[in-house]
């Protein structure tokens, strides 16, 4: 079964094509294109939703073309096809996308794709709208069913695979025996989730989540205060690594918010504020003796922020693993690319005899594969183009279960 996954929930325009061999629990990643908009958002210090929407509209057709070309499944027509009229209504709100869609799609034969999948949330609604309209348009023109998927489920499923060769992956879903714990850490989410297999896919229950900032958001905001560009997470990680190598400490310790609370919730806005106060104190903010932070101070603060976040996460996961007897920890979301957090969680898992499943670094941040995998596991929910649900910016993964 061939599935084309479309992902536009934030600042990555991403499309993947996978071919699943259900009998052998494996799939081939036929094509995988991620177009990052980071450069466009850097001047704003974060993702600017309307700009993200415009960029998705600008790039979707090129990303599709690259994915199909690299998959080697598309045949170009010698004479362009006239597309049905309805396309003008479906993409009517995005004239640029409509034009590029018509000029490309009219030149290709319908490819042998069985299912389309598209992220409908959570994420930035304007950004989600374009991806959904695009999926509708493809579904309409090619008459292929489409399934709406949850971005956070995609992050979980991207950890339930194992790379075997360059393009071949094993699916590990059948190796989950009882309930599993999942830690989701991204720019918009920090959640601990109970994952259960059901007859028709997976069921999710949230046992804890952030009450304010997500970890990725905290990293990005702290980075901004330290003069580092968006996205801050990778830069904090690099500077923290340098600090550890050179034994550089933070000028002052920072708090580990909610580390002792008896629940599985998080709060990271206090950590961000503590960094603000510390940098103001160090730089003489509000006094006549203003100065900028030294490189060592920045490195030390990055290390302490990364340590603080990691301490809290490791403690909560240890407590959750004790309360919910599970043998597998799944980690997903952009922040799972963080080496220190990965290694600390791997160490914890080893100590408490838990298996840990992490995404490949290349699939940690947003991508189209996550949408295609989520589509595969929800294929029974596929609908026709005119029944695709609306974008839901705060779409939950499941109910709160404690
Ligand atoms: O999952 P993702 O790509 O997008 C959302 O769904 O939000 O996650 C993006 C977040 C950003 O906040 C980014 O700073 C963070 O992941 N991130 C990292 C690293 N790479 C990306 N944070 C820490 N260390 C990294 N290496
Ligand atoms: Zn994400």
């Amino acid at each position: 079964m061939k599935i084309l996954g479309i992902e536009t929930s934030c600042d990555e325009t991403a499309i993947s094509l996978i071919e699943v061999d259900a009998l052998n629990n494996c799939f081939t990643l036929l094509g995988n294109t991620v177009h990052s908009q980071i450069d466009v958002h850097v001047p704003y210090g974060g993702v600017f939703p309307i700009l993200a929407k415009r960029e998705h509209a600008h790039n979707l057709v090129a990303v599709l073309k690259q994915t199909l070309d690299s998959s080697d499944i598309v045949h170009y027509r010698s004479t362009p096809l006239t597309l049905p009229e309805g396309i003008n209504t479906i993409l009517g709100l995005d004239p640029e996308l409509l034009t590029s869609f018509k000029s490309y799609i009219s030149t290709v034969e319908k490819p042998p794709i069985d299912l389309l999948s598209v992220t409908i949330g959570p994420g930035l609604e304007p950004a989600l709208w374009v991806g959904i309209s695009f999926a509708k348009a493809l579904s309409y023109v090619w008459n292929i069913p489409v399934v709406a998927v949850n971005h956070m489920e995609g992050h979980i499923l991207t950890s339930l695979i194992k790379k075997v060769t360059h393009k071949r992956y094993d699916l590990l879903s059948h190796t989950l025996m009882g309930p599993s714990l999942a830690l989701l850490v991204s720019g918009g989410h920090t959640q601990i989730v109970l994952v259960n297999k059901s007859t028709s896919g997976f069921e999710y229950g949230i046992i804890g989540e952030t009450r304010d900032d997500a970890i990725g958001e905290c990293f990005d905001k702290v980075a901004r205060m330290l003069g580092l560009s968006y996205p801050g997470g990778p830069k904090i990680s690099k500077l923290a690594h340098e600090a550890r190598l050179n034994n550089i400490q933070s000028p002052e310790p920072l708090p580990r918010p909610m580390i002792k609370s008896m629940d599985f919730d998080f709060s990271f806005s206090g950590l961000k504020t503590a960094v603000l106060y510390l940098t103001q104190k160090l730089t003489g903010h509000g006094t006549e003796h203003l100065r900028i932070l030294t490189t060592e101070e920045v490195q030390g603060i990055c290390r302490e922020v990364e340590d603080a976040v990691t301490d809290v996460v490791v403690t909560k996961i240890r407590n959750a693993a004790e309360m919910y007897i599970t043998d597998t920890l799944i980690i997903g979301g952009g922040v799972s690319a963080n080496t220190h957090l990965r290694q600390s969680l791997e160490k914890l898992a080893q100590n408490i005899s838990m298996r840990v499943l992490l995404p490949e670094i290349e699939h940690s941040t947003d991508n189209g594969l996550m949408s295609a995998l989520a589509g595969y596991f929800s294929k029974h929910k596929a609908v026709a183009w005119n029944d695709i649900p609306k974008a839901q910016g705060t779409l939950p993964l499941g109910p709160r279960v404690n």
Side-chain angles (χ1 to χ4, degrees):
M1 172 177 212
K2 288 194 185 70
I3 304 161
L4 186 85
I6 301 163
E7 158 62 44
T8 64
S9 68
C10 193
D11 59 344
E12 257 89 36
T13 313
I15 300 184
S16 290
L17 181 66
I18 62 173
E19 180 164 22
V20 181
D21 174 355
L23 224 57
N24 294 303
N25 280 309
C26 62
F27 71 91
T28 308
L29 185 56
L30 297 172
N32 185 40
T33 314
V34 180
H35 176 90
S36 170
Q37 302 177 1
I38 285 176
D39 291 349
V40 175
H41 297 287
V42 163
Y44 302 88
V47 182
F48 199 65
I50 292 299
L51 213 55
K53 174 184 186 285
R54 202 188 68 191
E55 283 296 302
H56 288 311
H58 182 69
N59 294 313
L60 266 165
V61 169
V63 170
L64 174 72
K65 179 176 185 320
Q66 194 175 325
T67 309
L68 294 180
D69 286 347
S70 60
S71 309
D72 219 9
I73 60 159
V74 73
H75 295 290
Y76 288 91
R77 299 173 55 89
S78 45
T79 47
L81 192 77
T82 308
L83 298 181
E85 266 302 304
I87 205 67
N88 297 313
T89 314
I90 296 171
L91 293 178
L93 292 175
D94 291 294
E96 187 188 4
L97 179 57
L98 176 63
T99 307
S100 60
F101 185 94
K102 277 179 164 173
S103 81
Y104 175 62
I105 297 298
S106 61
T107 65
V108 297
E109 299 284 0
K110 175 186 169 177
I113 294 171
D114 304 289
L115 180 66
L116 304 172
S117 67
V118 63
T119 307
I120 62 152
L124 305 170
E125 286 199 356
L128 293 161
W129 294 337
V130 212
I132 295 171
S133 304
F134 185 67
K136 263 187 194 172
L138 285 178
S139 172
Y140 170 74
V141 172
W142 285 339
N143 192 22
I144 300 173
V146 59
V147 61
V149 298
N150 183 305
H151 180 77
M152 301 317 290
E153 176 168 40
H155 274 309
I156 290 182
L157 297 175
T158 321
S159 301
L160 293 184
I161 60 174
K162 187 172 184 293
K163 195 169 188 167
V164 185
T165 60
H166 176 47
K167 288 186 169 179
R168 290 286 289 199
Y169 291 78
D170 282 342
L171 288 168
L172 302 179
S173 39
H174 64 288
T175 68
L176 297 185
M177 291 310 166
S180 305
L181 273 183
L183 169 71
L184 291 174
V185 279
S186 69
H189 289 76
T190 300
Q191 293 180 322
I192 304 181
V193 181
L194 267 186
V195 181
N196 273 294
K197 266 204 293 191
S198 74
T199 43
S200 58
F202 294 95
E203 280 167 3
Y204 305 99
I206 315 291
I207 63 167
E209 60 195 325
T210 185
R211 295 180 181 176
D212 39 58
D213 292 354
I215 295 179
E217 187 181 359
C218 172
F219 279 154
D220 294 340
K221 287 177 177 169
V222 164
R224 205 166 154 180
M225 287 176 206
L226 298 176
L228 309 168
S229 64
Y230 176 82
K235 280 130 205 152
I236 290 200
S237 171
K238 181 173 169 283
L239 292 166
H241 177 67
E242 289 169 11
R244 279 186 205 99
L245 277 183
N246 297 301
N247 205 18
I248 294 166
Q249 306 284 344
S250 170
E252 282 182 22
L254 293 167
R256 270 71 176 148
M258 292 185 72
I259 197 164
K260 294 206 170 111
S261 72
M262 297 308 291
D263 52 27
F264 304 112
D265 285 343
F266 301 90
S267 164
F268 293 105
S269 73
L271 177 60
K272 171 191 70 188
T273 311
V275 174
L276 177 69
Y277 291 152
L278 176 57
T279 55
Q280 287 183 341
K281 188 170 141 188
L282 293 169
T283 56
H285 179 81
T287 72
E288 288 167 8
H289 307 289
L290 269 185
R291 68 166 178 88
I292 56 165
L293 293 172
T294 65
T295 306
E296 291 207 343
E297 284 168 342
V298 173
Q299 288 169 324
I301 293 171
C302 288
R303 175 182 183 175
E304 179 66 2
V305 169
E306 200 177 63
D307 281 345
V309 164
T310 304
D311 286 351
V312 176
V313 168
V314 168
T315 304
K316 298 270 172 180
I317 291 294
R318 187 190 295 115
N319 295 345
E322 232 168 65
M323 178 173 286
Y324 299 90
I325 316 288
T326 60
D327 66 356
T328 303
L329 171 64
I330 303 162
I331 303 171
V335 183
S336 70
N338 184 278
T339 309
H340 185 63
L341 184 69
R342 283 172 96 96
Q343 289 174 347
S344 305
L345 287 164
E346 278 174 327
K347 199 161 139 201
L348 167 74
Q350 202 177 11
N351 289 343
I352 58 176
S353 303
M354 237 181 153
R355 172 172 73 144
V356 62
L357 298 176
L358 281 152
E360 302 273 340
I361 298 279
E362 63 182 307
H363 304 314
S364 296
T365 47
D366 295 349
N367 58 78
L369 172 60
M370 53 196 278
S371 169
L373 288 170
Y376 174 67
F377 286 100
S378 301
K379 53 190 180 302
H380 53 285
K381 296 183 191 157
V383 295
W385 70 271
N386 46 354
D387 285 326
I388 302 178
K390 288 195 167 60
Q392 291 179 54
T394 57
L395 183 68
L397 182 56
R400 178 90 191 198
V401 291
N402 72 348

